[in-house]
Amino acid sequence: MTGKDWGRFGIFAGGTALLTMADEPIQKFALRLRNKNAGLRHVSSYVTNFGGLYEAYVLVGLGTYGFVFKNEKMRTTTLLATQSYITSAAMAYLIKFIAGRQRPSFYSKDHVEAEPTFHGPFFSGGRNANGNRINQSFPSGHTTAAFAAATVYAMEYKNRPWVPILSYSAATLIGLSRITENKHWFTDVFVGATLGYLTGRQVVNNYHRYSKLRSPKKNTLTFSLDYYDRTVMPGLVYRFR
């Protein structure tokens, strides 16, 4: 990272710190909205799954399509999206461990309601009201992975406007569902989306930089010799770089 990058990171960190003041009001509003709307509860619980295992199924399906129908563009993009998905998930869980933030679904007999508290490393995450174990909250792993894969497809298919719109819309809905499902605070989702977006961009940019390094830098002239219908046909191919 350059000095300018660190400056941007400082601004982002400061902005995120300010946004934490909105975590509890947004959570309470989302829960009121969810409790009053049965349709929202149904849609939210369905959408949130696409930020986890369902998203892996989607990537497998798209990758299979690319291999079966020999669509090199789809195949390469899906492999890049998978790399971005795995990389961002690993980074998110490392940050979770370091931050040790308490989830909004955290339950303890000593607390009336959950607080968006950062406990630091080695915080186990605790349990929810049903007694089930929960992990740390910051950032949202579902949102991180969703934006990581969405960014790759959005960048590689930017010539088709509907692809970025669909990709980012799906990722945004997954992020919002993590709030309405009471799994994450607003800033968990915000930072997860940013982390996923930056990871996706880095994976795509690295791939294209590497491709340029591998490709010949000079103009090339190649000779070919084909035989067709009892006729020998020589040919020359000149490539401009």
Side-chain angles (χ1 to χ4, degrees):
M1 291 175 64
T2 64
K4 184 181 290 186
D5 292 330
W6 282 111
R8 290 171 178 170
F9 176 76
I11 294 171
F12 174 77
T16 302
L18 290 174
L19 287 175
T20 58
M21 294 187 293
D23 279 332
E24 288 188 86
I26 290 175
Q27 183 225 13
K28 291 176 181 178
F29 171 77
L31 287 180
R32 286 197 301 270
L33 193 65
R34 184 178 187 274
N35 291 334
K36 293 179 181 179
N37 194 321
L40 176 62
R41 289 197 299 272
H42 176 73
V43 172
S44 175
S45 62
Y46 179 77
V47 169
T48 199
N49 290 323
F50 279 92
L53 192 59
Y54 286 11
E55 185 174 1
Y57 293 154
V58 172
L59 291 175
V60 170
L62 292 172
T64 301
Y65 169 83
F67 277 98
V68 171
F69 294 96
K70 298 180 180 179
N71 187 325
E72 186 177 351
K73 177 75 171 179
M74 178 61 71
R75 184 170 59 217
T76 302
T77 303
T78 303
L79 289 173
L80 291 174
T82 303
Q83 179 189 352
S84 182
Y85 179 94
I86 295 172
T87 303
S88 66
M91 293 174 64
Y93 279 99
L94 175 62
I95 298 172
K96 280 178 183 286
F97 172 77
I98 295 172
R101 194 182 204 186
Q102 183 176 290
R103 284 184 183 261
S105 57
F106 175 82
Y107 173 79
S108 171
K109 62 181 181 180
D110 300 323
H111 296 82
V112 177
E113 63 180 35
E115 299 289 337
T117 307
F118 289 90
H119 294 277
F122 306 110
F123 174 64
S124 64
R127 298 179 182 272
N128 60 19
N130 297 321
N132 298 323
R133 277 196 166 278
I134 54 177
N135 62 359
Q136 304 90 338
S137 185
F138 181 89
S140 166
H142 282 63
T143 309
T144 302
F147 271 89
T151 300
V152 173
Y153 284 101
M155 291 181 68
E156 289 297 281
Y157 286 93
K158 59 185 177 182
N159 59 318
R160 301 180 183 180
W162 66 270
V163 175
I165 292 172
L166 178 62
S167 298
Y168 286 129
S169 295
T172 300
L173 288 175
I174 290 170
L176 292 175
S177 74
R178 301 308 288 166
I179 299 174
T180 55
E181 288 296 295
N182 201 37
K183 302 295 185 183
H184 285 285
W185 308 98
F186 169 72
T187 47
D188 298 343
V189 172
F190 174 70
V191 172
T194 304
L195 178 61
Y197 172 77
L198 293 176
T199 303
R201 287 193 65 86
Q202 189 72 6
V203 166
V204 172
N205 290 337
N206 282 347
Y207 167 73
H208 286 293
R209 278 195 292 265
Y210 178 67
S211 297
K212 287 181 180 179
L213 289 174
R214 290 188 61 191
S215 62
K217 295 182 179 180
K218 297 180 180 180
N219 299 340
T220 58
L221 178 66
T222 56
F223 175 77
S224 64
L225 191 65
D226 297 318
Y227 181 80
Y228 178 74
D229 194 22
R230 293 182 295 180
T231 304
V232 176
M233 296 182 293
L236 293 175
V237 178
Y238 188 77
R239 296 182 181 276
F240 296 90
R241 298 292 179 182

Short mmCIF file of all heavy atoms in Angstrom, two decimals, residues 131-171:
data_model
loop_
_atom_site.label_atom_id
_atom_site.label_comp_id
_atom_site.label_asym_id
_atom_site.label_seq_id
_atom_site.Cartn_x
_atom_site.Cartn_y
_atom_site.Cartn_z
N GLY A 131 -29.65 -20.98 22.58
CA GLY A 131 -28.54 -21.73 23.14
C GLY A 131 -27.53 -22.22 22.12
O GLY A 131 -26.59 -22.94 22.46
N ASN A 132 -27.72 -21.84 20.85
CA ASN A 132 -26.80 -22.27 19.81
C ASN A 132 -25.57 -21.37 19.77
O ASN A 132 -25.67 -20.16 19.95
CB ASN A 132 -27.49 -22.22 18.44
CG ASN A 132 -28.69 -23.15 18.38
OD1 ASN A 132 -28.67 -24.24 18.93
ND2 ASN A 132 -29.75 -22.70 17.71
N ARG A 133 -24.42 -21.98 19.48
CA ARG A 133 -23.19 -21.21 19.38
C ARG A 133 -23.21 -20.29 18.17
O ARG A 133 -23.68 -20.68 17.10
CB ARG A 133 -21.97 -22.13 19.28
CG ARG A 133 -21.49 -22.64 20.62
CD ARG A 133 -20.09 -23.22 20.51
NE ARG A 133 -19.51 -23.41 21.81
CZ ARG A 133 -18.91 -22.46 22.53
NH1 ARG A 133 -18.84 -21.23 22.04
NH2 ARG A 133 -18.39 -22.72 23.71
N ILE A 134 -22.70 -19.09 18.31
CA ILE A 134 -22.58 -18.14 17.21
C ILE A 134 -21.15 -17.62 17.19
O ILE A 134 -20.49 -17.55 18.24
CB ILE A 134 -23.59 -16.98 17.33
CG1 ILE A 134 -23.47 -16.29 18.70
CG2 ILE A 134 -25.00 -17.45 17.09
CD1 ILE A 134 -24.37 -15.10 18.88
N ASN A 135 -20.67 -17.29 15.99
CA ASN A 135 -19.30 -16.76 15.91
C ASN A 135 -19.30 -15.24 15.94
O ASN A 135 -20.34 -14.61 16.14
CB ASN A 135 -18.58 -17.31 14.67
CG ASN A 135 -19.26 -16.87 13.38
OD1 ASN A 135 -20.28 -16.19 13.40
ND2 ASN A 135 -18.68 -17.26 12.27
N GLN A 136 -18.14 -14.66 15.72
CA GLN A 136 -18.00 -13.21 15.80
C GLN A 136 -18.73 -12.53 14.64
O GLN A 136 -19.00 -13.13 13.61
CB GLN A 136 -16.52 -12.83 15.80
CG GLN A 136 -15.72 -13.50 16.92
CD GLN A 136 -15.14 -14.85 16.51
OE1 GLN A 136 -15.62 -15.49 15.58
NE2 GLN A 136 -14.10 -15.28 17.20
N SER A 137 -18.99 -11.24 14.82
CA SER A 137 -19.90 -10.53 13.92
C SER A 137 -19.22 -9.70 12.83
O SER A 137 -19.78 -9.55 11.75
CB SER A 137 -20.81 -9.62 14.73
OG SER A 137 -21.78 -8.99 13.93
N PHE A 138 -18.04 -9.16 13.08
CA PHE A 138 -17.45 -8.14 12.20
C PHE A 138 -16.26 -8.69 11.42
O PHE A 138 -15.30 -9.17 12.02
CB PHE A 138 -16.99 -6.96 13.06
CG PHE A 138 -16.38 -5.82 12.29
CD1 PHE A 138 -17.17 -4.80 11.79
CD2 PHE A 138 -15.01 -5.76 12.07
CE1 PHE A 138 -16.60 -3.73 11.10
CE2 PHE A 138 -14.43 -4.71 11.38
CZ PHE A 138 -15.24 -3.70 10.89
N PRO A 139 -16.33 -8.62 10.06
CA PRO A 139 -17.42 -8.17 9.19
C PRO A 139 -18.36 -9.32 8.84
O PRO A 139 -18.13 -10.46 9.26
CB PRO A 139 -16.67 -7.69 7.94
CG PRO A 139 -15.50 -8.63 7.86
CD PRO A 139 -15.10 -8.92 9.28
N SER A 140 -19.38 -9.03 8.06
CA SER A 140 -20.32 -10.06 7.62
C SER A 140 -19.67 -10.94 6.55
O SER A 140 -19.35 -10.47 5.46
CB SER A 140 -21.58 -9.40 7.05
OG SER A 140 -22.36 -10.35 6.34
N GLY A 141 -19.49 -12.22 6.87
CA GLY A 141 -18.88 -13.15 5.91
C GLY A 141 -19.75 -13.36 4.68
O GLY A 141 -19.24 -13.45 3.56
N HIS A 142 -21.07 -13.46 4.88
CA HIS A 142 -22.00 -13.65 3.76
C HIS A 142 -21.89 -12.48 2.77
O HIS A 142 -21.82 -12.67 1.57
CB HIS A 142 -23.44 -13.75 4.26
CG HIS A 142 -23.79 -15.08 4.84
ND1 HIS A 142 -23.18 -15.58 5.96
CD2 HIS A 142 -24.70 -16.02 4.45
CE1 HIS A 142 -23.70 -16.76 6.25
NE2 HIS A 142 -24.61 -17.06 5.35
N THR A 143 -21.89 -11.27 3.32
CA THR A 143 -21.83 -10.07 2.46
C THR A 143 -20.49 -9.97 1.77
O THR A 143 -20.42 -9.62 0.58
CB THR A 143 -22.08 -8.81 3.30
OG1 THR A 143 -23.27 -8.96 4.07
CG2 THR A 143 -22.21 -7.59 2.42
N THR A 144 -19.42 -10.27 2.48
CA THR A 144 -18.08 -10.21 1.90
C THR A 144 -17.97 -11.14 0.70
O THR A 144 -17.52 -10.73 -0.38
CB THR A 144 -17.02 -10.60 2.96
OG1 THR A 144 -17.12 -9.74 4.09
CG2 THR A 144 -15.63 -10.51 2.37
N ALA A 145 -18.37 -12.39 0.88
CA ALA A 145 -18.28 -13.37 -0.21
C ALA A 145 -19.19 -12.99 -1.38
O ALA A 145 -18.81 -13.16 -2.55
CB ALA A 145 -18.65 -14.75 0.32
N ALA A 146 -20.38 -12.48 -1.07
CA ALA A 146 -21.32 -12.11 -2.13
C ALA A 146 -20.75 -10.99 -3.01
O ALA A 146 -20.80 -11.07 -4.24
CB ALA A 146 -22.65 -11.67 -1.52
N PHE A 147 -20.20 -9.95 -2.39
CA PHE A 147 -19.64 -8.84 -3.17
C PHE A 147 -18.33 -9.23 -3.85
O PHE A 147 -18.01 -8.70 -4.92
CB PHE A 147 -19.43 -7.63 -2.27
CG PHE A 147 -20.62 -6.72 -2.19
CD1 PHE A 147 -21.59 -6.92 -1.23
CD2 PHE A 147 -20.81 -5.69 -3.10
CE1 PHE A 147 -22.72 -6.11 -1.15
CE2 PHE A 147 -21.92 -4.87 -3.04
CZ PHE A 147 -22.88 -5.08 -2.07
N ALA A 148 -17.59 -10.15 -3.27
CA ALA A 148 -16.34 -10.60 -3.90
C ALA A 148 -16.63 -11.27 -5.24
O ALA A 148 -15.96 -10.99 -6.24
CB ALA A 148 -15.62 -11.56 -2.96
N ALA A 149 -17.61 -12.17 -5.26
CA ALA A 149 -17.97 -12.85 -6.51
C ALA A 149 -18.69 -11.91 -7.47
O ALA A 149 -18.43 -11.90 -8.68
CB ALA A 149 -18.84 -14.06 -6.20
N ALA A 150 -19.60 -11.08 -6.94
CA ALA A 150 -20.37 -10.15 -7.78
C ALA A 150 -19.46 -9.18 -8.52
O ALA A 150 -19.68 -8.87 -9.70
CB ALA A 150 -21.37 -9.39 -6.92
N THR A 151 -18.42 -8.70 -7.85
CA THR A 151 -17.51 -7.73 -8.46
C THR A 151 -16.77 -8.34 -9.64
O THR A 151 -16.55 -7.67 -10.66
CB THR A 151 -16.50 -7.22 -7.41
OG1 THR A 151 -17.22 -6.59 -6.34
CG2 THR A 151 -15.54 -6.21 -8.02
N VAL A 152 -16.38 -9.60 -9.52
CA VAL A 152 -15.68 -10.27 -10.63
C VAL A 152 -16.57 -10.34 -11.87
O VAL A 152 -16.16 -9.99 -12.97
CB VAL A 152 -15.23 -11.69 -10.21
CG1 VAL A 152 -14.66 -12.44 -11.42
CG2 VAL A 152 -14.18 -11.60 -9.11
N TYR A 153 -17.81 -10.79 -11.70
CA TYR A 153 -18.73 -10.88 -12.85
C TYR A 153 -19.05 -9.49 -13.41
O TYR A 153 -19.15 -9.31 -14.62
CB TYR A 153 -20.02 -11.59 -12.43
CG TYR A 153 -19.86 -13.08 -12.30
CD1 TYR A 153 -19.72 -13.67 -11.06
CD2 TYR A 153 -19.82 -13.90 -13.43
CE1 TYR A 153 -19.55 -15.05 -10.93
CE2 TYR A 153 -19.65 -15.26 -13.32
CZ TYR A 153 -19.51 -15.83 -12.07
OH TYR A 153 -19.34 -17.19 -11.95
N ALA A 154 -19.20 -8.51 -12.51
CA ALA A 154 -19.51 -7.15 -12.95
C ALA A 154 -18.37 -6.57 -13.79
O ALA A 154 -18.61 -5.88 -14.79
CB ALA A 154 -19.79 -6.26 -11.75
N MET A 155 -17.13 -6.85 -13.40
CA MET A 155 -15.99 -6.31 -14.13
C MET A 155 -15.75 -7.05 -15.45
O MET A 155 -15.46 -6.44 -16.48
CB MET A 155 -14.73 -6.38 -13.26
CG MET A 155 -14.74 -5.44 -12.07
SD MET A 155 -13.22 -5.53 -11.08
CE MET A 155 -12.02 -4.84 -12.24
N GLU A 156 -15.88 -8.36 -15.42
CA GLU A 156 -15.59 -9.15 -16.62
C GLU A 156 -16.70 -9.04 -17.67
O GLU A 156 -16.46 -9.26 -18.86
CB GLU A 156 -15.38 -10.62 -16.24
CG GLU A 156 -14.09 -10.88 -15.49
CD GLU A 156 -12.87 -10.55 -16.33
OE1 GLU A 156 -12.51 -11.37 -17.20
OE2 GLU A 156 -12.30 -9.45 -16.14
N TYR A 157 -17.92 -8.71 -17.24
CA TYR A 157 -19.04 -8.56 -18.18
C TYR A 157 -19.58 -7.13 -18.16
O TYR A 157 -20.79 -6.92 -18.30
CB TYR A 157 -20.16 -9.55 -17.83
CG TYR A 157 -19.84 -10.98 -18.19
CD1 TYR A 157 -19.27 -11.84 -17.26
CD2 TYR A 157 -20.11 -11.47 -19.47
CE1 TYR A 157 -18.97 -13.16 -17.59
CE2 TYR A 157 -19.82 -12.80 -19.80
CZ TYR A 157 -19.25 -13.63 -18.86
OH TYR A 157 -18.96 -14.93 -19.19
N LYS A 158 -18.69 -6.17 -17.99
CA LYS A 158 -19.14 -4.78 -17.92
C LYS A 158 -19.70 -4.28 -19.25
O LYS A 158 -20.40 -3.26 -19.29
CB LYS A 158 -17.99 -3.88 -17.49
CG LYS A 158 -16.77 -3.91 -18.39
CD LYS A 158 -15.65 -3.07 -17.81
CE LYS A 158 -14.39 -3.16 -18.67
NZ LYS A 158 -13.28 -2.38 -18.07
N ASN A 159 -19.41 -4.99 -20.34
CA ASN A 159 -19.98 -4.63 -21.64
C ASN A 159 -21.45 -5.00 -21.74
O ASN A 159 -22.13 -4.63 -22.69
CB ASN A 159 -19.19 -5.28 -22.77
CG ASN A 159 -19.18 -6.80 -22.67
OD1 ASN A 159 -19.03 -7.35 -21.57
ND2 ASN A 159 -19.32 -7.49 -23.79
N ARG A 160 -21.95 -5.77 -20.79
CA ARG A 160 -23.36 -6.12 -20.73
C ARG A 160 -23.93 -5.49 -19.46
O ARG A 160 -23.82 -6.08 -18.37
CB ARG A 160 -23.55 -7.63 -20.70
CG ARG A 160 -22.96 -8.32 -21.93
CD ARG A 160 -23.17 -9.82 -21.87
NE ARG A 160 -22.53 -10.49 -23.00
CZ ARG A 160 -22.55 -11.80 -23.19
NH1 ARG A 160 -23.15 -12.59 -22.31
NH2 ARG A 160 -21.94 -12.34 -24.24
N PRO A 161 -24.54 -4.32 -19.55
CA PRO A 161 -24.96 -3.56 -18.36
C PRO A 161 -25.82 -4.34 -17.38
O PRO A 161 -25.76 -4.08 -16.16
CB PRO A 161 -25.74 -2.38 -18.96
CG PRO A 161 -25.17 -2.21 -20.34
CD PRO A 161 -24.85 -3.61 -20.81
N TRP A 162 -26.61 -5.28 -17.86
CA TRP A 162 -27.50 -6.01 -16.95
C TRP A 162 -26.74 -6.91 -15.99
O TRP A 162 -27.23 -7.22 -14.89
CB TRP A 162 -28.52 -6.83 -17.74
CG TRP A 162 -27.95 -7.96 -18.54
CD1 TRP A 162 -27.52 -7.92 -19.83
CD2 TRP A 162 -27.73 -9.30 -18.09
NE1 TRP A 162 -27.04 -9.14 -20.23
CE2 TRP A 162 -27.16 -10.02 -19.19
CE3 TRP A 162 -27.96 -9.98 -16.89
CZ2 TRP A 162 -26.83 -11.37 -19.10
CZ3 TRP A 162 -27.62 -11.32 -16.80
CH2 TRP A 162 -27.07 -12.00 -17.89
N VAL A 163 -25.53 -7.34 -16.36
CA VAL A 163 -24.76 -8.23 -15.48
C VAL A 163 -24.29 -7.50 -14.22
O VAL A 163 -24.52 -8.00 -13.10
CB VAL A 163 -23.57 -8.86 -16.23
CG1 VAL A 163 -22.71 -9.69 -15.28
CG2 VAL A 163 -24.06 -9.73 -17.38
N PRO A 164 -23.64 -6.32 -14.32
CA PRO A 164 -23.29 -5.60 -13.09
C PRO A 164 -24.50 -5.25 -12.24
O PRO A 164 -24.45 -5.33 -11.00
CB PRO A 164 -22.59 -4.33 -13.61
CG PRO A 164 -22.06 -4.71 -14.95
CD PRO A 164 -23.09 -5.65 -15.52
N ILE A 165 -25.60 -4.85 -12.90
CA ILE A 165 -26.81 -4.49 -12.14
C ILE A 165 -27.33 -5.69 -11.36
O ILE A 165 -27.63 -5.61 -10.17
CB ILE A 165 -27.90 -3.95 -13.09
CG1 ILE A 165 -27.47 -2.60 -13.68
CG2 ILE A 165 -29.23 -3.81 -12.36
CD1 ILE A 165 -28.40 -2.08 -14.77
N LEU A 166 -27.42 -6.84 -12.04
CA LEU A 166 -27.91 -8.06 -11.38
C LEU A 166 -26.95 -8.52 -10.29
O LEU A 166 -27.38 -8.88 -9.18
CB LEU A 166 -28.07 -9.17 -12.43
CG LEU A 166 -28.54 -10.53 -11.90
CD1 LEU A 166 -29.91 -10.42 -11.26
CD2 LEU A 166 -28.56 -11.57 -13.02
N SER A 167 -25.65 -8.47 -10.57
CA SER A 167 -24.66 -8.95 -9.60
C SER A 167 -24.67 -8.13 -8.32
O SER A 167 -24.75 -8.68 -7.21
CB SER A 167 -23.26 -8.91 -10.24
OG SER A 167 -23.18 -9.74 -11.37
N TYR A 168 -24.59 -6.81 -8.47
CA TYR A 168 -24.54 -5.95 -7.28
C TYR A 168 -25.89 -5.89 -6.56
O TYR A 168 -25.93 -5.74 -5.33
CB TYR A 168 -24.08 -4.55 -7.67
CG TYR A 168 -22.61 -4.47 -7.97
CD1 TYR A 168 -22.15 -3.88 -9.15
CD2 TYR A 168 -21.67 -4.98 -7.08
CE1 TYR A 168 -20.78 -3.80 -9.43
CE2 TYR A 168 -20.31 -4.90 -7.36
CZ TYR A 168 -19.87 -4.31 -8.53
OH TYR A 168 -18.53 -4.24 -8.80
N SER A 169 -26.99 -6.02 -7.30
CA SER A 169 -28.31 -6.03 -6.65
C SER A 169 -28.46 -7.26 -5.78
O SER A 169 -28.94 -7.18 -4.63
CB SER A 169 -29.42 -6.00 -7.71
OG SER A 169 -29.40 -4.79 -8.43
N ALA A 170 -28.04 -8.42 -6.30
CA ALA A 170 -28.12 -9.66 -5.53
C ALA A 170 -27.24 -9.58 -4.28
O ALA A 170 -27.66 -9.96 -3.18
CB ALA A 170 -27.70 -10.84 -6.40
N ALA A 171 -26.03 -9.06 -4.44
CA ALA A 171 -25.11 -8.94 -3.30
C ALA A 171 -25.66 -7.98 -2.25
O ALA A 171 -25.55 -8.23 -1.04
CB ALA A 171 -23.74 -8.48 -3.79
#
